[in-house]
Amino acid sequence: MFDNLSEKLDKALHNLKGHGKITEINVAETLKEVRRALLDADVNFKIAKEFTNTVKDKALGQNVLSTLQPGQLMVKIVKDELTQLMGGDAEGVDLSGNPSVILMSGLQGSGKTTFSGKLANFLKNKKTKKPLLVACDVYRPAAIDQLHVVGEQIGVEVYSDRGNTDPVVIAQAGIAHAKTLGCNVVIIDTAGRLAVDQEMMDEISNIHKAIQPQETLFVVDSMTGQDAVNTAKAFNDVLNFDGVILTKLDGDTRGGAAISIKSVVNKPIKFIGTGEKMEAIDVFYPSRMADRILGMGDVVSLVERAQEQFDEEQARKIQKKIAKNKFGFDDFLSQIQQIKKMGNMKDLMGMIPGMGKALKGIDIDDDAFKHIEAIIHSMTPDERANPNKLNSSRKKRIAAGSGRSVQDVNQLLKQFDQMSKMMKMMQGGGGKRMMQMMQNMR
């Protein structure tokens, strides 16, 4: 996520020379490189210039604390200004209606239909809502089929009327259907085009006027850069939408859309899509995104994702097994499943401070655990529960069954043994001893 922008900003900010004060002389070259990094990321030229001018005005003449280098102070100023540029505070969706109606808009291919499903899944699982998805793309039968598949996948009802070609009537009928089902949120997926045209604008405008939604969201492909900002402006002029959703942030995104869009349309980014799975949706926090752009990671989001997947009852069972020295590969497998549910592995690693730079150019497969899973699934239930029974002949059989080498099986057993010992030590008060050792090392 924003790898190139992060690298260029990091290089620019840490090249700042001088001590004691940030002066016009030592800041000029740095801000020139910052502006160039923003332009390379497809940030609007006017916004990039205004941004660097604001940073310069705030930085000039500030006394640098004795514990800080000028570059470190500049990083803080740039982070604060990036946060403001992207919206300042996180904003949620308006769910005050009964039912609350959310109208999705955007170009074809922006990920509108998929994100409608993600949003329904998010509201169902995290906001305890009962959503209904409504298919109003009357031009692409495949879009209706896709929404039904998504709805079945997440366990959400989908309303469609294949015999009707009027999206306004379908939207109104969908809301009426939601009331009969007792649904308290209606998400309406609309048609898109390959480019902005008057027919599409008239259609989405007519739907908007007819249903008066509590929330109108504009879905944009973040990989399109400055074009995304221009499209957002065109839609906002017609719909006056309430917020933006950025999709495909897990791809080769330059970052221009995320940084520019709030300034151009003066509407907040509300959600981001970070992968293909239905759980790959995050509330957009400008300060956390600024941290990630500047290579500081996002520990808060990482902890939140971990907490979402944390099963307290399962944790208690595992604690008892560790205490009795009965922690087996079935338990290990359940831990892997919880980690996988947290999302894209490279994205998760990028949330750890300093890891973004270290992972540059390294491709981390989303199926990074598949070889481990294959080895474990090739064991018998008895072997998974009692790893100490794995002799050389059993290891050969497991290696053959999983398509891996005996060396891979041995390596997994060694890692499993080390992890089991560490977990037991942590449970037995070793955690306190480790903390004391770390504090003594400072």
Side-chain angles (χ1 to χ4, degrees):
M1 194 188 289
F2 308 153
D3 287 345
N4 289 333
L5 175 59
S6 297
E7 185 185 5
K8 287 172 182 175
L9 285 177
D10 180 69
K11 197 177 289 184
L13 293 169
H14 287 88
N15 281 342
L16 188 61
K17 307 295 182 186
H19 297 277
K21 266 191 175 182
I22 291 177
T23 66
E24 195 149 357
I25 296 169
N26 66 12
V27 84
E29 187 61 32
T30 294
L31 288 181
K32 181 182 174 184
E33 290 301 317
V34 168
R35 184 160 58 246
R36 188 177 293 161
L38 293 172
L39 292 174
D40 285 347
D42 215 5
V43 174
N44 178 283
F45 174 76
K46 186 181 175 186
I47 292 169
K49 189 177 179 182
E50 286 174 358
F51 176 82
T52 49
N53 286 341
T54 304
V55 171
K56 180 181 175 182
D57 292 342
K58 292 200 172 184
L60 281 179
Q62 279 206 27
N63 288 321
V64 181
L65 297 172
S66 58
T67 54
L68 290 177
Q69 294 293 322
Q72 292 170 314
L73 180 60
M74 183 64 87
V75 167
K76 184 190 182 306
I77 295 168
V78 169
K79 179 201 179 279
D80 291 344
E81 289 309 308
L82 269 177
T83 300
Q84 288 307 310
L85 190 62
M86 292 188 288
D89 298 315
E91 295 201 28
V93 289
D94 181 0
L95 299 173
S96 59
N98 188 27
S100 301
V101 180
I102 301 172
L103 179 65
M104 309 295 283
S105 62
L107 292 181
Q108 189 175 311
S110 61
K112 205 164 54 270
T113 303
T114 301
F115 204 91
S116 296
K118 288 182 180 181
L119 185 57
N121 190 51
F122 174 86
L123 295 174
K124 175 189 171 187
N125 294 325
K126 296 188 180 178
K127 302 292 181 182
T128 60
K129 297 290 181 181
K130 186 182 178 183
L132 173 75
L133 288 162
V134 179
C136 282
D137 187 344
V138 296
Y139 307 101
R140 291 192 312 126
I144 299 172
D145 294 337
Q146 183 187 353
L147 200 64
H148 276 282
V149 169
V150 165
E152 189 176 342
Q153 187 180 339
I154 60 175
V156 169
E157 184 88 15
V158 178
Y159 176 83
S160 63
D161 185 353
R162 293 176 190 270
N164 199 324
T165 58
D166 187 342
V168 174
V169 173
I170 295 170
Q172 290 173 325
I175 294 169
H177 186 63
K179 289 176 180 175
T180 62
L181 292 176
C183 296
N184 46 24
V185 177
V186 181
I187 300 171
I188 297 176
D189 180 36
T190 61
R193 299 283 193 282
L194 293 174
V196 174
D197 65 44
Q198 195 55 49
E199 186 183 353
M200 175 180 66
M201 289 301 188
D202 289 343
E203 181 181 292
I204 192 82
S205 179
N206 290 337
I207 296 172
H208 189 271
K209 286 173 188 171
I211 64 173
Q212 295 291 303
Q214 276 69 39
E215 195 84 22
T216 304
L217 299 174
F218 174 68
V219 183
V220 63
D221 179 352
S222 60
M223 294 176 74
T224 54
Q226 200 55 46
D227 284 344
V229 180
N230 298 333
T231 307
K233 189 176 185 309
F235 269 82
N236 192 52
D237 290 343
V238 173
L239 287 177
N240 190 27
F241 56 68
D242 301 291
V244 177
I245 289 169
L246 286 179
T247 61
K248 307 178 188 177
L249 271 178
D250 57 318
D252 185 19
T253 305
R254 287 188 286 175
I259 293 170
S260 306
I261 212 160
K262 171 69 167 65
S263 294
V264 174
V265 297
N266 196 29
K267 296 294 168 64
I269 300 169
K270 297 201 171 187
F271 292 98
I272 54 174
T274 56
E276 294 179 3
K277 294 177 182 176
M278 284 294 115
E279 295 78 23
I281 170 176
D282 286 324
V283 174
F284 183 76
Y285 291 91
S287 62
R288 298 184 192 179
M289 187 56 70
D291 278 339
R292 294 193 68 177
I293 289 172
L294 292 171
M296 299 175 185
D298 183 3
V299 175
V300 178
S301 293
L302 184 60
V303 170
E304 284 178 354
R305 287 201 196 181
Q307 285 175 333
E308 283 167 15
Q309 300 305 326
F310 180 73
D311 185 332
E312 207 168 329
E313 182 58 35
Q314 181 72 10
R316 272 198 291 268
K317 286 179 183 176
I318 286 176
Q319 276 186 328
K320 287 178 182 176
K321 286 189 174 184
I322 292 167
K324 294 176 181 177
N325 207 25
K326 288 187 177 179
F327 182 77
F329 274 109
D330 281 323
D331 307 305
F332 186 47
L333 202 57
S334 73
Q335 299 300 296
I336 289 174
Q337 298 304 326
Q338 286 190 354
I339 293 169
K340 285 172 71 176
K341 286 178 186 175
M342 286 170 64
N344 176 292
M345 285 305 296
K346 191 164 185 177
D347 187 40
L348 291 174
M349 295 289 281
M351 290 181 180
I352 301 168
M355 284 299 290
K357 199 191 297 184
L359 291 171
K360 182 168 173 58
I362 299 172
D363 186 32
I364 297 178
D365 193 346
D366 253 4
D367 289 328
F369 293 113
K370 67 181 179 183
H371 302 315
I372 294 172
E373 290 173 304
I375 292 170
I376 295 172
H377 285 306
S378 296
M379 298 176 187
T380 65
D382 183 51
E383 288 168 345
R384 289 200 292 269
N386 302 285
N388 57 327
K389 289 186 177 181
L390 294 175
N391 56 28
S392 58
S393 62
R394 290 180 185 237
K395 288 175 188 176
K396 283 179 185 176
R397 190 202 77 245
I398 291 164
S402 61
R404 308 302 293 174
S405 66
V406 174
Q407 187 181 354
D408 291 331
V409 177
N410 283 330
Q411 188 177 0
L412 175 60
L413 288 170
K414 185 180 177 182
Q415 290 169 341
F416 175 78
D417 187 53
Q418 288 172 341
M419 191 187 76
S420 299
K421 285 176 182 175
M422 190 180 293
M423 290 170 79
K424 192 159 189 180
M425 188 179 82
M426 293 294 286
Q427 195 179 46
K432 288 181 182 178
R433 291 196 297 275
M434 285 177 71
M435 288 299 291
Q436 287 168 356
M437 285 169 64
M438 289 171 71
Q439 286 170 351
N440 293 333
M441 288 169 67
R442 287 180 183 174

